[in-house]
Every structure is written in C-alpha cells, then in structure tokens.
Amino acid sequence: MPDFPWDSLAQARSRAAEHPGGAVDLSIGTPVDPTPALLGTALAAAGDAPGYPTALGTAEVRRAAAGWLDRRLGVQLADPFGADPSVIPTVGSKELVALLPTLLGLRSGTVLIPEVAYPTYEVGAVVAGLTVRRTDAPPADPGDVVLVWLNSPGNPHGRVLTDVQLRDWAGWGRAHGVPVVADECYVELGWDVQPRSLLHPDVAGRDHAGLLAVHSLSKQSTAAGYRAGLLSGDPVLVRRVWETRRHLGLLVPTPVQAAMAAALADDEHVAAQRERYRRRRERLAAAVRASGARIDHSEAGLYLWVTRDEDCWTTIDWLAGLGIVAAPGTFYGPAGSRHVRMALTATDERVDAAVERLAG
C-alpha cells in the first residue's frame, strides 16, 4: 500500500500551529458546518431498527435517489426497482471507490485514472492486485485496461470535463468492453461552469450500458459522518456490485438510509450550503491571487488549485509560515508537483484568518 499521504504534513502542521492565531487547516476537505436538521430528524425517526438493513436499499432511498438524479442532473435511470437495480446506497463514496475493482470481480489488468487524481483510485487498484496508469485521454491501444475512473468536477483541481470529453470516454469504454466510472461527488458545486453527469442522455445516449456514476451526501449535505453514498448506472454492473456487497455485509444502516431519502428529496439545504461555500471561495480566491499566486482550473468543487510556479513543498512551507496548512499536489500524482490544494471546508472565521494572513 502507498504511504498515507497526510502523515507527511506533520512538520507543516507543527509550524503552522506556532502562528499566534493558530493554524488554519485547509488541507483536508472535511465539512465543518452543521448537518441540516432534516437529516437528524429522519435518522431519529428510523432509530428503531432491530433487523438487518438491506444492501439493495429501501424503496424510499432508491426512489429519492432516482428523483434527485432526474431533478438535479437530468439523469433518467432504468427501473430502480427491477430485478437488476440501477441505483443502490453505499457506505459513503470512499469505501466504494476503494473497493469497486474488487466488487466488480476484476482480478488482473490495468485501471486508468486521471493524471492528477484522488489517491483512493490507486488504492482500490492496489487492493485488487491491479496496476494503474494515469491518463486524461482515451488511449489508442486499450491493452489490458479493465476499468476507467473519471472525476468531474475533479479532486484536487476542480476541473470539469466537457460533454465531448465525457462522450469520448463513454464511447471508448463501450467499444472496448471496459466499464467507465465517473466520481461525481462534487457535481452540485459548479461555480464557473455547470458540471454534467456521465449518465446524462446527451453523454450516455439512450441507456447507461458500461457506465457507472458515484455520488455522495458528504459535501452537498454536510453529512460526511453519516457515510452516505450512491452508485447508479448500468443495471448489469450495479447488480454485480450489489451481489458482492451483500455477501460481504456492506450495508448502509437503516436509519442512515432514512436520512439519505430525506436529504435527496430536499434541494433547499443543498442550495444553502452551496452559498456558504461560494462566499468562502470568493474571499479566499481573491486573497490567493492578491498574494501573487495563481489559481488553475477550480471552476467547480471544494478546492482551489494554487501555484506559485515552484515546487509544491516550497509553497507548503511558505503557507505554513503564515499559519496555513494546504495539501501538496504530489499527493495526487507527479503532475501535481507545482500546485497545492486549498480546501473551502473551514469555518468563516478560519477562512477570514487565512485571507488576512495572505494579505500580509
């Protein structure tokens, strides 16, 4: 297994903590705002749950998920209640990302991941005994590729794939019999552009054959502690994952499924949280640019992809001297070596402190 990357930030954290105003930690995208009351209410109401939950998901959560996908993303699922389900709940999205190659029964071959990518795509391949290749474009020769991961909006850089890019990947995967999976956990957080789902009919066409999408309530509903995610798309692939998950006992607790159903049926709390992040992004981005640094991509999602055209660890050291902790771009692959990731998941007070420090 690769080293857990955040362990290497210990020195930067210690230096930042020496600042008179304390450290401003923008290194990890952990939500800090209160979870909306509607989730807690639904969770408590379903608290009498003596039996085992179902891996397939309750009818309520699947109905709410299908409604959210249609209402918010323009995605129409095949029958969520048929013999081959087109959507299931998952124990958060990270668990799914880390285990998907295993759950699909992949035993050999190569997984394609983005050039700059969330580390868990590689971890999932390693756990399954597969190799990894980084690329942002479909290869001419599929070789031994068995799975493709896309991430739009991207973590760490906030890049959004165009419809043309998504269609190219979907067509490539179908032509070569390779599942294409889009991690769309930040899809509700578009700023400069509106992200499109891989499952949208303008991309996928008339059905979702060979395609899957991963979603999460962690960021949009500030519910990371609930471990609430979704897998949807090709019913054949979803069924394969579901069958393995129930053998392994990977079950979303019944009260959490009730909270998921309530959250997915409500758009107001998502809009309110998006506005909080928008205000923080506006202030922090202005301060970063005023400090002389540049922001690349970052048109969506929860991060600013920042560079001073120097080695990322030099930038990390500069920020630590200001009492600010960010994530070095090398956490996400060699192509990130001259960038750092700054998260918007800090309180207004801490974001304001970072803005003041960046201003000198």
Side-chain angles (χ1 to χ4, degrees):
M1 293 289 288
D3 293 335
F4 191 67
W6 275 267
D7 291 346
S8 63
L9 275 175
Q11 185 174 345
R13 292 186 193 282
S14 295
R15 186 178 179 200
E18 294 172 359
H19 191 281
V24 176
D25 193 343
L26 305 179
S27 67
I28 301 180
T30 300
V32 297
D33 300 302
T35 301
L38 69 96
L39 276 79
T41 299
L43 185 83
D48 183 12
Y52 289 109
T54 168
L56 181 61
T58 64
E60 290 75 18
V61 78
R62 283 182 287 144
R63 184 178 298 110
W68 175 78
L69 285 161
D70 186 6
R71 187 177 71 251
R72 298 297 302 166
L73 306 185
V75 171
Q76 292 83 43
L77 294 179
D79 182 8
F81 306 103
D84 290 323
S86 52
V87 63
I88 57 172
T90 64
V91 186
S93 60
K94 184 171 184 175
E95 167 259 309
L96 181 64
V97 170
L99 291 179
L100 187 61
T102 300
L103 296 173
L104 287 172
L106 306 178
R107 298 292 179 264
S108 63
T110 297
V111 177
L112 299 185
I113 67 174
E115 287 280 2
V116 177
Y118 180 47
T120 308
Y121 305 136
E122 181 175 6
V123 169
V126 170
V127 167
L130 309 175
T131 59
V132 166
R133 178 158 35 125
R134 295 177 182 269
T135 181
D136 287 332
D141 180 4
D144 65 346
V145 174
V146 293
L147 185 70
V148 173
W149 275 109
L150 306 179
N151 183 205
S152 178
N155 174 11
H157 49 40
R159 179 186 174 204
V160 174
L161 298 179
T162 66
D163 285 9
V164 171
Q165 290 171 315
L166 291 170
R167 281 195 291 268
D168 285 349
W169 274 113
W172 184 92
R174 286 166 167 170
H176 298 294
V178 177
V180 178
V181 189
D183 179 351
E184 299 176 354
C185 291
Y186 301 95
V187 72
E188 285 272 20
L189 298 170
W191 310 117
D192 302 328
V193 298
Q194 181 60 50
R196 180 87 82 180
S197 175
L198 178 68
L199 303 183
H200 191 281
D202 286 352
V203 173
R206 61 183 176 81
D207 61 42
H208 296 148
L211 308 178
L212 293 170
V214 177
H215 297 103
S216 170
L217 272 64
S218 293
K219 307 306 194 300
Q220 69 190 51
S221 296
T222 57
Y226 281 56
R227 309 313 303 133
L230 295 171
L231 177 70
S232 58
D234 183 346
V236 174
L237 295 176
V238 173
R239 183 181 183 88
R240 192 185 307 171
V241 172
W242 164 54
E243 291 280 12
T244 308
R245 288 176 60 83
R246 62 178 181 162
H247 277 296
L248 297 177
L250 295 173
L251 313 175
V252 179
T254 301
V256 172
Q257 293 195 42
M260 290 177 67
L264 290 165
D266 179 82
D267 297 332
E268 289 186 9
H269 77 281
V270 179
Q273 186 59 39
R274 185 167 54 242
E275 177 59 18
R276 292 186 189 99
Y277 286 136
R278 185 198 64 76
R279 292 194 302 265
R280 291 168 187 163
R281 177 180 182 269
E282 189 175 79
R283 299 198 304 277
L284 188 59
V288 166
R289 293 187 176 109
S291 76
R294 186 177 75 247
I295 299 172
D296 291 334
H297 301 304
S298 307
E299 59 258 30
L302 277 181
Y303 311 105
L304 300 180
W305 192 230
V306 177
T307 181
R308 300 206 307 169
D309 291 316
E310 62 189 9
D311 181 82
C312 63
W313 285 101
T314 302
T315 307
I316 289 294
D317 189 58
W318 168 68
L319 288 168
L322 299 175
I324 299 170
V325 185
T330 49
F331 281 8
Y332 310 97
S337 64
R338 298 181 72 81
H339 287 78
V340 302
R341 190 193 78 169
M342 300 178 74
L344 306 178
T345 50
T347 64
D348 290 339
E349 183 274 331
R350 289 287 83 187
V351 169
D352 288 343
V355 167
E356 182 179 348
R357 295 173 193 185
L358 288 164

